[in-house]
Amino acid sequence: MRELLTKALGDTLLVQSFSGVRTVFGKGPEISDVHASLAVGYGTCYAIHVLKPGKATFLLCRDPRPTGAAVARALVRGFLAGARAVGCELEVVDLGIITTPLAETAVRSLEADGGVMITASHNPLDNNGFKFFTGTAIADRPNSAPIGALLSAPAMGTVIESVKAFARGEFHPEAVGMMSEEAVDRALASTRGDAIRVQAERAYLDVIGEDWNIIPHCLKPLTLGPALLDPNGGAACGIDARVLEHFGVKVIEINAEVGYPEHGIDTDGIDSASGRHMLLRVARAAARERAHFGVAFDYDADRGNLVLPGHDETAIIAPQQVAAFNIALALARRQMNNAESKKLAVVLSDATSLASERVAKTFGAEVHYVETGEINVVSKMSQLRKAGYDVPVGVEGANGGTIFETSTCRDGLQAALSAALAEFQPEVSREWMRIARKAFGPLENSGESLLHQLIDSVPVNPNVMLKLSAPPMSHGELKAHVEASFVKKAWPKLRDRFASYKFVNFENLVVSDKRSGDESGGWRVILDAPDRRAFVFLRGSKTESGVWRMIIDADEQEDFDLLLPLAKALMP
């Protein structure tokens, strides 16, 4: 077992981070012994980390990837081994194919002790992986994430290190060898899955209805939309259309046969067959079906890319513009409907465009930053609420994924709901437009639909993300080199346009001018002028030596054009 696990951990394609574990498992339905050992090892260490003597329940959830069932069996074997090692009687409830937002709701509604989502999200179909949830068993521990969310960064870090120690032979849960295939069969034979899935779906509806202050369509006709949904054979098939229709959105669903994607999984990429953006087909389908907008989901449906109906790339809404749009409407809705006097706050990850910050500050909201990673945004939102803040929305990363209200993850369905409600609640839209005109000046009237006008009213910064390489060196060494290079080479060419600069580091929930720990978090140099800002963001891969991602973002095009070549030249 340990030899196989050691081989699995040496896989150059393996990603292990606080966002989850993933690698290329194959085209399925079988997986190799090496990959099975990876899932067993992680299942064992997660269970040991979470459980204590007594009784407990874990939820087992997955997207429709071909290897999903095989990975699930290996994880269950690990769960049972870990439970035996700590003296716990564990029930595993298999919810089958389900979206990540619904899976997290299931953990909360059942008050489960833990669980897992088996998915590789937007990665290709031959990839797979798993994300572990915070359950009631560890919700009261220091620095724990909210129930149903992914494990907090420190907790997932502990599990990752435990798996490495397991491979080195530093502890020996002999129970792994005692877990037969028959034991796994018995664990998966529970008949409670269907009932719990229904319970979770109802809880999901209740939470969304309460968060958005909307009532089900059984009390009114389908008046919103129509919206075109493209789940592309993923976990969103059927369920997301049902939920939207529950709230009065007329839905047109395409590519909705579970497990049979019609195009690439990463909808924010380029279609290799046509050389065009993947979302163009969704925009064209929306135009063909006379839908007001379209949404393309990734395979576990925590991401939803928005498009307007159209026949060229201008109909595709950039992820950062979607994020700013969601913030604008969420805060406008809060301003109109919320009589509370709590301080208003928005949480953004370090890779988020300054346009989102500009929108948030037009409402007087405090903007709090965290390191890239959905769980960091969720944890900070929870932390701020405990401190007395009202936190209606957060944004995770360069993909513009939005976390709404009490959700504990990004949710493509709620992004679709936000777009549908933009047209149905014109008073909220007018409130945002009033604020936008006051903050940014006269707005162009495109003469298109209200949704078009709303999208056009949101500020958009020139923004680019680059994948760069650097000589093998530590994260701290490279950042020190970049800082020195900026001061010596870039700043003399920028000082005529900016008044000052500042180096900022992002480590989990902490933002500081100093680096600590392994120095592998995000880094920015922020450039300030009286009426505008810009930044260069840098973050190294924690799994690929020498691979770095750089984002350049500016409030004005002239600053961006000047900054782009200077930023590229900072790398050694």
Side-chain angles (χ1 to χ4, degrees):
M1 167 69 189
R2 289 202 301 273
E3 290 180 1
L4 291 172
L5 181 56
T6 298
K7 187 174 181 180
L9 294 176
D11 177 6
T12 57
L13 299 176
L14 178 65
V15 174
Q16 302 172 95
S17 74
F18 47 71
S19 297
V21 177
R22 72 172 186 268
T23 189
V24 177
F25 277 81
K27 297 181 180 180
E30 304 298 328
I31 61 175
S32 69
D33 291 343
V34 170
H35 287 138
S37 72
L38 181 70
V40 171
Y42 263 97
T44 302
C45 293
Y46 170 70
I48 289 174
H49 175 71
V50 168
L51 298 175
K52 57 186 178 182
K55 293 185 178 182
T57 301
F58 278 0
L59 301 187
L60 187 66
C61 316
R62 60 186 175 94
D63 73 17
R65 291 170 196 275
T67 54
V71 175
R73 289 188 65 86
L75 281 166
V76 169
R77 186 177 177 211
F79 290 160
L80 296 175
R84 177 173 287 191
V86 300
C88 177
E89 182 182 337
L90 180 66
E91 177 192 24
V92 178
V93 179
D94 185 4
L95 298 185
I97 295 171
I98 192 171
T99 70
T100 291
L102 190 52
E104 295 195 3
T105 302
V107 174
R108 287 190 290 278
S109 63
L110 183 66
E111 297 185 341
D113 297 279
V116 65
M117 180 70 193
I118 302 166
T119 180
S121 193
H122 61 281
N123 288 73
L125 207 60
D126 60 355
N127 284 219
N128 214 338
F130 29 86
K131 309 174 186 178
F132 295 114
F133 298 137
T134 298
T136 56
I138 59 171
D140 58 350
R141 295 182 188 175
N143 301 317
S144 179
I147 295 174
L150 302 185
L151 288 183
S152 68
M156 187 61 190
T158 297
V159 174
I160 291 171
E161 291 306 313
S162 296
V163 172
K164 294 177 182 177
F166 187 8
R168 292 193 299 266
E170 294 178 12
F171 71 94
H172 309 275
E174 290 79 4
V176 172
M178 303 176 188
M179 293 299 113
S180 64
E181 290 300 313
E182 290 74 18
V184 174
D185 288 338
R186 288 193 298 272
L188 292 173
S190 170
T191 59
R192 291 215 298 150
D194 289 342
I196 290 174
R197 186 186 177 101
V198 171
Q199 178 183 338
E201 190 169 329
R202 289 175 177 168
Y204 187 48
L205 293 170
D206 289 344
V207 168
I208 293 175
E210 184 175 349
D211 279 351
W212 292 79
N213 193 30
I214 51 179
I215 57 177
H217 88 273
C218 59
L219 304 180
K220 61 186 177 186
L222 293 173
T223 55
L224 286 70
L228 181 130
L229 303 189
D230 178 10
N232 194 30
C237 290
I239 174 62
D240 280 6
R242 292 199 304 274
V243 172
L244 286 174
E245 288 183 342
H246 180 86
F247 292 114
V249 183
K250 183 179 179 181
V251 172
I252 301 163
E253 195 175 31
I254 63 173
N255 302 332
E257 187 174 357
V258 176
Y260 291 90
E262 294 290 333
H263 52 77
I265 304 300
D266 185 1
T267 54
D268 198 26
I270 301 299
D271 182 359
S272 58
S274 67
R276 309 293 294 274
H277 197 291
M278 201 76 72
L279 290 172
L280 181 57
R281 68 176 70 217
V282 184
R284 288 177 171 173
R288 184 171 60 250
E289 299 292 344
R290 299 182 183 276
H292 290 194
F293 63 92
V295 185
F297 297 95
D298 66 353
Y299 227 50
D300 67 327
D302 64 347
R303 283 171 57 178
N305 293 81
L306 290 179
V307 299
L308 295 169
H311 298 281
D312 58 40
E313 275 82 353
T314 61
I316 299 169
I317 310 171
Q320 290 296 330
Q321 190 173 11
V322 173
F325 167 80
N326 287 331
I327 292 171
L329 293 188
L331 296 186
R333 190 176 295 111
R334 182 65 103 248
Q335 183 160 294
M336 293 190 64
N337 300 330
N338 193 355
E340 296 182 15
S341 58
K342 291 182 178 180
K343 294 177 290 185
L344 191 64
V346 169
V347 178
L348 307 177
S349 82
D350 50 12
T352 306
S353 170
L354 289 168
S356 284
E357 179 179 317
R358 290 162 64 197
V359 169
K361 287 188 173 180
T362 62
F363 292 89
E366 291 184 18
V367 177
H368 295 257
Y369 279 96
V370 295
E371 183 186 350
T372 294
E374 174 186 270
I375 191 54
N376 288 329
V377 177
V378 170
S379 296
K380 188 66 175 183
M381 291 172 74
S382 176
Q383 187 183 88
L384 288 169
R385 288 186 182 118
K386 290 176 182 177
Y389 284 85
D390 180 20
V391 193
V393 67
V395 172
E396 197 288 301
N399 60 49
T402 308
I403 298 159
F404 296 93
E405 294 285 355
T406 61
S407 294
T408 51
C409 67
R410 299 164 300 185
D411 190 345
L413 181 142
Q414 293 195 57
L417 186 61
S418 178
L421 289 176
E423 295 186 309
F424 184 71
Q425 298 176 333
E427 67 281 4
V428 174
S429 300
R430 285 195 295 268
E431 176 66 9
W432 158 245
M433 302 280 254
R434 180 188 68 79
I435 292 170
R437 281 191 292 269
K438 183 177 179 181
F440 310 121
L443 304 176
E444 293 184 13
N445 189 342
S446 64
E448 300 282 352
S449 67
L450 177 58
L451 186 58
H452 280 78
Q453 294 175 38
L454 283 168
I455 293 295
D456 289 343
S457 73
V458 174
V460 182
N461 279 14
N463 176 285
V464 67
M465 182 170 69
L466 308 171
K467 185 175 180 180
L468 305 174
S469 60
M473 60 175 62
S474 73
H475 290 246
E477 288 173 332
L478 187 135
K479 290 171 185 173
H481 171 91
V482 167
E483 289 177 351
S485 181
F486 177 86
V487 172
K488 183 177 180 180
K489 299 178 181 179
W491 179 241
K493 298 178 182 179
L494 294 166
R495 65 193 321 156
D496 289 342
R497 290 195 58 81
F498 295 97
S500 64
Y501 68 87
K502 182 180 181 181
F503 300 137
V504 180
N505 298 281
F506 304 85
E507 298 179 356
N508 295 335
L509 309 188
V510 177
V511 180
S512 174
D513 58 356
K514 300 181 185 296
R515 286 188 288 279
S516 62
D518 65 4
E519 302 187 332
S520 64
W523 174 91
R524 273 186 182 185
V525 55
I526 302 173
L527 298 149
D528 278 296
D531 57 347
R532 66 194 193 280
R533 304 174 78 202
F535 72 73
V536 177
F537 166 83
L538 194 63
R539 188 170 187 264
S541 171
K542 298 186 179 183
T543 58
E544 298 175 88
S545 178
V547 174
W548 292 76
R549 282 175 174 78
M550 176 181 283
I551 296 174
I552 299 97
D553 185 273
D555 289 340
E556 290 191 3
Q557 185 69 48
E558 187 175 349
D559 293 334
F560 179 84
D561 293 340
L562 175 62
L563 191 56
L564 179 58
L566 296 174
K568 291 180 180 179
L570 296 176
M571 296 293 285

